[in-house]
């Protein structure tokens, strides 16, 4: 008859084996549920929204015949087209099946490309936001007054308020963009980095 110590040891060994099986199975994710697949899906959504916003900007340019507003909006259109191009290049190069094949160097390359894309996009927004805020301010004032842009800008304190609003909203817009980017992509980038670290520790 087995004593308690032997039974306890067998139960412990069985629990350890079950844990190992569960851990190994947790990494056998279908390609469509891997972090790379989620990043690719969210990039496609990001590109779709950017295209819709770009079309809306184009309509504003044609509808409001003020060169100050048109100049700001045209710059936003150029930025959006650049961002769409960069996002599509990244989207095209992502291969979700790499998650199953444990290709460490390729996973590293994907992670590096994605983090660099995020950093580059945020840096460019700092240049674009002043024009976006100024254009939005002038557009809102023109619509609100129901008058010409020249009449709106001729009012007392409008130009100083335009400058103050632009300066104040640049960091707000930057932080919001950073937050939205983290919400859309952050968790999957972190999962990808965790998988890379695990493979490195395994020596693969």
């Amino acid at each position: 008859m087995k004593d308690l110590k032997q039974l306890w040891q067998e139960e412990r060994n069985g629990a350890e084996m079950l844990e190992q099986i569960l851990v190994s199975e947790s990494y056998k994710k279908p390609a469509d549920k891997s972090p790379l697949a989620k990043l690719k899906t969210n990039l496609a959504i990001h590109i779709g929204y950017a295209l819709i916003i770009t079309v809306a900007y184009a309509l504003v340019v044609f509808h409001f015949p003020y060169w100050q507003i048109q100049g700001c909006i045209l710059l936003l259109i150029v930025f959006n087209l650049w961002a769409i191009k960069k996002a599509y290049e990244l989207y095209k190069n992502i291969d979700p099946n790499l998650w199953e094949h444990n290709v460490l160097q390729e996973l590293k390359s994907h992670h590096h490309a994605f983090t660099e894309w995020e950093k580059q996009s945020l840096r460019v927004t700092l240049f674009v936001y002043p024009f976006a805020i100024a254009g939005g301010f002038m557009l809102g004032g023109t619509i609100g007054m129901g008058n010409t842009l020249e009449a709106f800008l001729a009012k007392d304190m409008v130009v100083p308020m335009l400058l103050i609003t632009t300066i104040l909203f640049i960091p707000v817009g930057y932080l919001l963009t950073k937050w939205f980017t983290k919400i859309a992509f952050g968790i999957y980038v972190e999962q990808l980095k965790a998988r890379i670290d695990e493979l490195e520790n395994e020596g693969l």
Side-chain angles (χ1 to χ4, degrees):
M1 185 174 181
K2 296 181 179 178
D3 57 23
L4 287 175
K5 185 176 180 180
Q6 187 176 358
L7 287 171
W8 168 256
Q9 187 62 39
E10 288 179 357
E11 183 178 350
R12 185 177 176 184
N13 291 340
E16 289 177 352
M17 288 178 64
L18 178 60
E19 183 180 0
Q20 289 176 0
I21 292 171
L22 291 175
V23 169
S24 64
E25 288 297 321
S26 68
Y27 287 114
K28 295 179 181 178
K29 301 180 180 180
D32 62 344
K33 293 184 179 180
S34 73
L36 285 176
K38 294 293 186 181
L39 287 171
K40 191 162 188 172
T41 299
N42 285 5
L43 267 177
I45 296 171
H46 173 82
I47 292 169
Y49 279 126
L51 286 169
I52 293 170
I53 292 170
T54 303
V55 171
Y57 285 158
L59 294 176
V60 170
V61 169
F62 285 108
H63 190 70
F64 293 92
Y66 304 113
W67 67 265
Q68 299 94 329
I69 294 176
Q70 289 177 333
C72 292
I73 300 301
L74 284 171
L75 182 63
L76 291 178
I77 291 174
V78 171
F79 166 71
N80 269 22
L81 292 175
W82 171 85
I84 289 169
K85 178 178 178 293
K86 289 291 182 181
Y88 179 71
E89 289 173 355
L90 187 60
Y91 171 87
K92 188 172 61 174
N93 290 329
I94 291 178
D95 180 7
N97 293 317
L98 288 175
W99 189 261
E100 296 179 338
H101 300 157
N102 296 339
V103 184
L104 178 57
Q105 202 56 42
E106 289 296 325
L107 291 177
K108 281 184 175 181
S109 176
H110 279 61
H111 181 267
H112 175 75
F114 211 94
T115 53
E116 284 302 307
W117 171 76
E118 286 182 324
K119 291 176 184 176
Q120 190 178 37
S121 297
L122 286 172
R123 283 195 296 266
V124 175
T125 58
L126 287 175
F127 170 76
V128 174
Y129 272 139
F131 298 95
I133 296 165
F137 185 92
M138 290 186 289
L139 180 61
T142 302
I143 295 173
M145 281 186 56
N147 209 332
T148 65
L149 178 60
E150 288 76 12
F152 172 65
L153 293 176
K155 285 185 170 292
D156 294 339
M157 297 302 295
V158 167
V159 173
M161 284 299 297
L162 169 61
L163 295 174
I164 292 170
T165 302
T166 301
I167 292 170
L168 289 178
F169 274 84
I170 289 173
V172 174
Y174 175 84
L175 291 174
L176 279 175
T177 301
K178 191 173 183 179
W179 181 72
F180 280 125
T181 302
K182 186 173 182 180
I183 291 295
F185 305 109
I187 186 172
Y188 306 117
V189 174
E190 289 172 4
Q191 288 177 0
L192 180 57
K193 183 64 169 65
R195 181 57 171 155
I196 290 169
D197 292 341
E198 183 191 11
L199 292 176
E200 286 182 329
N201 290 335
E202 292 175 357
L204 296 178

